[in-house]
Amino acid sequence: MRYEIPDPLDPALLPVLIAAEDGLARLDERAGRHAVAEGFRERGQFFDAAAALWVAGELVHVEDLVLHDSHMDARAPSHELTIAHAVLRARRRLDLADADWALSPPGLSALRGEAGPAVRHDSPDTSAFRDEADAPDMADGPMDSSLSDAFAEIDAAIARSARLLDIHAGSAVMAERPAIETQSPRVEPTGQLGLLFDDDWDEATRLDAWRAVLPVADQLPAALGAAVLFDAWERIEPLRRQHWLGSLLVGAYLRFRGKVGSHVLAYNTGLKTIRHERRRSKDRLTRLTGFLEAMSAAAELGMKELDRLSLARTQMEMRIKDRRSNSNLPGLIDLVLSRPIVSAPLIARHLGVTPRGALNLVRELGVREMTGRGRYRGWGVL
């Protein structure tokens, strides 16, 4: 299996390539030193995870993803919501790891659930308001390597258990077939249903074929190299269950090349703006042009998000300038800016107040209600 590298000097690619390179550089410059940079990175994790499911043809509401991440589900989580949360966790692993980790064989294996990640322990935690149930208390110092290894072993055990459940599910389906079907040739269960999955699909070989494109992509401009890698991922399709990983690797590659080093680019938010006919076109030039335009769109949306958060922060700080020094309102501002949506129990948990006190703080701050629900209401910045 081989992927043919396109001509980087194609005149049709130059305008969109220049626009993408310029937009990504501007976004990286602003996001790296902005006052709301941490909130921008954390909110981008949720928006990109929801957009990844949108690109795959599934709808996941951002507010449901936030509540699920905080273990405050309003209802039983759907299959799509579980996948979106897996995308969110993978983005957080990419954000905390070294720039070159995701593209290495150990990094890809860890993202597939086969090994533990090599997390960068000397970097600050980018999700300062992550729930206590998801991460250990960081007040006494960074997570030690033994605890990180323990979490990695747990992730690997969960992945192995999932594969065993798939095998038993396949065996059960084979056992329940009607007797009349026994006249046909018997197919031994392999953990996947043959009608839905190809038993000859060799993920390791396909991943090797995709990684063979990396040296060539490194010789291209960063944005074009990322577009070529994403196109190769779409053509080769290395992973059956985690096809969404390709869009996350675009952000990891741009970070590795230093084009967007301040955060992992929310590439799916820009990919949403590209029509499906262009993303899946048979013409490679059309696909690459669409992928580069998606980078420009993601950079533009990121700039607008920074402007929106900056304006919201200024407005909320004007409301509390005469408050007492021990007020919980500054903490509420930081929490609101770090999440797409917050609920009363979430505010109460992080600020150490009662749910009634959380509602009073929201009313004083004047944060807009986002869900339109009578129950499980949420507030956030538009």
Side-chain angles (χ1 to χ4, degrees):
M1 185 177 301
R2 186 176 180 182
Y3 177 79
E4 297 294 335
I5 305 299
D7 183 9
L9 299 180
D10 194 316
L13 287 176
L14 292 180
V16 290
L17 174 60
I18 294 173
E21 291 273 341
D22 183 65
L24 293 175
R26 290 175 181 270
L27 175 64
D28 185 50
E29 179 67 20
R30 288 197 62 190
R33 60 183 66 187
H34 206 282
V36 294
E38 291 190 7
F40 168 75
R41 286 195 294 269
E42 181 66 13
R43 287 167 61 92
Q45 312 278 34
F46 290 95
F47 287 128
D48 191 66
L53 270 292
W54 192 97
V55 172
E58 304 290 347
L59 178 62
V60 173
H61 295 286
V62 176
E63 58 265 26
D64 292 335
L65 180 58
V66 175
L67 294 176
H68 181 70
D69 182 61
S70 304
H71 305 284
M72 298 180 179
D73 298 272
R75 62 185 68 86
S78 62
H79 179 64
E80 293 77 15
L81 181 59
T82 304
I83 297 176
H85 194 237
V87 178
L88 177 65
R89 295 198 307 269
R91 282 189 56 87
R92 285 173 172 168
R93 296 177 87 175
L94 292 176
D95 190 56
L96 292 176
D98 293 322
D100 59 345
W101 171 77
L103 302 174
S104 63
L108 286 174
S109 298
L111 292 172
R112 293 170 62 194
E114 295 183 352
V119 178
R120 186 177 69 251
H121 301 294
D122 57 347
S123 62
D125 189 357
T126 56
S127 55
F129 299 97
R130 190 175 303 169
D131 292 298
E132 293 85 346
D134 292 338
D137 188 6
M138 305 296 287
D140 297 332
M143 183 192 308
D144 59 13
S145 57
S146 60
L147 189 56
S148 177
D149 294 339
F151 284 144
E153 292 178 0
I154 293 174
D155 290 341
I158 293 175
R160 290 194 299 269
S161 300
R163 287 194 291 270
L164 289 175
L165 289 175
D166 291 337
I167 293 175
H168 288 297
S171 301
V173 171
M174 294 295 298
E176 293 175 0
R177 288 185 176 180
I180 192 173
E181 295 184 2
T182 59
Q183 300 176 359
S184 60
R186 176 178 174 82
V187 179
E188 295 297 332
T190 59
Q192 305 291 349
L193 298 181
L195 294 176
L196 300 178
F197 297 97
D198 184 5
D199 294 334
D200 296 331
W201 196 290
D202 190 348
E203 291 188 348
T205 302
R206 290 173 179 265
L207 275 176
D208 291 339
W210 179 79
R211 295 193 73 252
V213 185
L214 280 170
V216 183
D218 291 342
Q219 301 176 8
L220 303 175
L224 181 57
V228 168
L229 285 177
F230 184 67
D231 186 55
W233 185 277
E234 292 287 295
R235 297 296 99 188
I236 299 175
E237 297 183 354
L239 305 181
R240 290 177 293 182
R241 294 177 175 270
Q242 295 172 298
H243 187 68
W244 45 263
L245 188 59
S247 58
L248 274 61
L249 293 177
V250 171
Y253 182 76
L254 291 172
R255 185 178 172 212
F256 166 70
R257 292 288 299 271
K259 176 56 66 174
V260 185
S262 59
H263 64 287
V264 179
L265 179 70
Y267 182 58
N268 287 295
T269 59
L271 205 59
K272 285 178 57 177
T273 64
I274 308 301
R275 295 180 60 86
H276 178 270
E277 292 79 5
R278 297 185 62 197
R279 289 188 276 113
R280 306 296 296 179
S281 174
K282 294 182 179 180
D283 180 46
R284 180 167 52 190
L285 181 61
T286 302
R287 297 195 306 267
L288 290 177
T289 302
F291 297 154
L292 289 172
E293 290 179 358
M295 295 181 196
S296 299
E300 183 179 357
L301 292 172
M303 299 281 282
K304 291 181 179 179
E305 176 74 1
L306 285 171
D307 293 337
R308 187 183 303 113
L309 292 179
S310 180
L311 179 60
R313 184 184 185 90
T314 302
Q315 292 176 340
M316 289 187 290
E317 287 179 345
M318 291 178 62
R319 290 176 175 266
I320 66 170
K321 62 180 180 179
D322 295 330
R323 299 289 179 174
R324 63 185 186 275
S325 59
N326 61 344
S327 174
N328 285 315
L329 289 175
L332 178 58
I333 291 176
D334 293 335
L335 180 60
V336 169
L337 293 178
S338 69
R339 300 294 180 93
I341 190 171
V342 295
S343 63
L346 188 65
I347 297 172
R349 174 187 297 182
H350 282 282
L351 300 184
V353 298
T354 63
R356 181 71 258 178
L359 293 176
N360 293 336
L361 290 174
V362 169
R363 187 180 301 109
E364 291 183 35
L365 195 59
V367 185
R368 181 171 179 174
E369 206 278 329
M370 303 283 288
T371 60
R373 299 174 179 175
R375 301 178 60 188
Y376 301 107
R377 292 183 297 168
W379 297 265
V381 177
L382 288 178

